[in-house]
Amino acid sequence: DSVLKKGTLRSAVLEHPGKPLNLIDLDTTHVRLRNALWDKGYADAIITDTIEVHDSARTADVTIRVDPRWIATVESVTVHGDSALSPDIVKKMVTLRPGNVYKRQNVIESQQSLYSSNLYRRATIVLPPRGDSAKLIDINVLESQLHSVKLSAGFSTIDFIQTEGKFTNYNFLGDARRLDLHLAVSNLLAPTLN
């Protein structure tokens, strides 16, 4: 109760008095409690349960024990991978920063930020092992193509012949600046077709 609010506990715990004992619900409760604690910075929390079954009464006593242990912090962030882009670009894009509390939401946001940049084909945040409050974060990246070109052409009764081209540079002048050039030409040969 000192770590999680009562509303969070109510939504996380799926086993309730009067309901049938369901081990899948109990396992889901473990996952939900662990995620709720990690969102508060308790990444190394230990959750255990005991089940005492009373066969004659067809009931069971379920006890879930939570030991939050300590609040974990990010000690360092190390980037491994291709060398065309500086590791500092990755460090700027992620929300995992040395000295900050190590939270689950920051791991998810960092992963999404790396993928949505289109700079990396693969970006893996290696979760550090449990047991130490200072977390060493390793990020492995594999870069995508830093340039893309798309050309298309078409015909319609409104624009007649239309051509279109798009060029994207995902690292324009360094530091992951993005440059998009889009060119469209339409109404080609319109007087001839008319």
Side-chain angles (χ1 to χ4, degrees):
D1 290 344
S2 62
V3 176
L4 297 175
K5 295 179 181 175
K6 289 184 180 178
T8 305
L9 288 172
R10 271 195 301 272
S11 64
V13 178
L14 299 179
E15 294 290 354
H16 299 290
K19 278 185 64 180
L21 176 62
N22 185 328
L23 296 181
I24 294 173
D25 284 350
L26 185 59
D27 188 53
T28 303
T29 297
H30 277 251
V31 172
R32 288 182 175 189
L33 286 172
R34 188 171 293 112
N35 288 343
L37 288 164
W38 189 4
D39 283 336
K40 297 278 187 182
Y42 298 95
D44 296 315
I46 295 176
I47 301 167
T48 58
D49 62 64
T50 56
I51 303 171
E52 186 178 341
V53 178
H54 310 289
D55 290 332
S56 60
R58 295 184 144 184
T59 61
D61 294 326
V62 178
T63 304
I64 301 171
R65 288 185 179 82
V66 177
D67 179 5
R69 299 173 87 188
W70 50 72
I71 293 181
T73 57
V74 176
E75 183 174 313
S76 67
V77 177
T78 308
V79 179
H80 307 280
D82 295 350
S83 60
L85 295 173
S86 166
D88 292 336
I89 292 174
V90 172
K91 290 179 182 180
K92 288 178 187 175
M93 296 173 75
V94 299
T95 55
L96 296 163
R97 295 204 168 48
N100 287 0
V101 175
Y102 176 60
K103 295 183 178 180
R104 177 177 167 267
Q105 187 60 36
N106 289 351
V107 173
I108 293 169
E109 287 173 1
S110 297
Q111 189 87 45
Q112 289 173 341
S113 175
L114 291 170
Y115 275 116
S116 65
S117 71
N118 291 327
L119 292 171
Y120 303 100
R121 185 178 321 149
R122 182 178 51 88
T124 307
I125 299 174
V126 180
L127 299 181
R130 296 171 154 250
D132 190 1
S133 63
K135 302 299 182 184
L136 307 173
I137 309 296
D138 282 328
I139 302 175
N140 298 315
V141 294
L142 177 63
E143 292 171 6
S144 297
Q145 294 292 327
L146 297 179
H147 304 89
S148 71
V149 176
K150 294 180 183 177
L151 299 172
S152 62
F155 174 80
S156 72
T157 56
I158 297 172
D159 293 330
F160 296 96
I161 297 175
Q162 177 178 342
T163 60
E164 187 174 2
K166 183 176 180 181
F167 170 79
T168 303
N169 183 340
Y170 294 104
N171 194 32
F172 181 67
L173 299 177
D175 285 338
R177 292 182 187 93
R178 181 174 170 165
L179 172 69
D180 284 319
L181 298 174
H182 186 161
L183 175 67
V185 180
S186 60
N187 289 332
L188 294 173
L189 304 174
T192 306
L193 294 172
N194 217 4

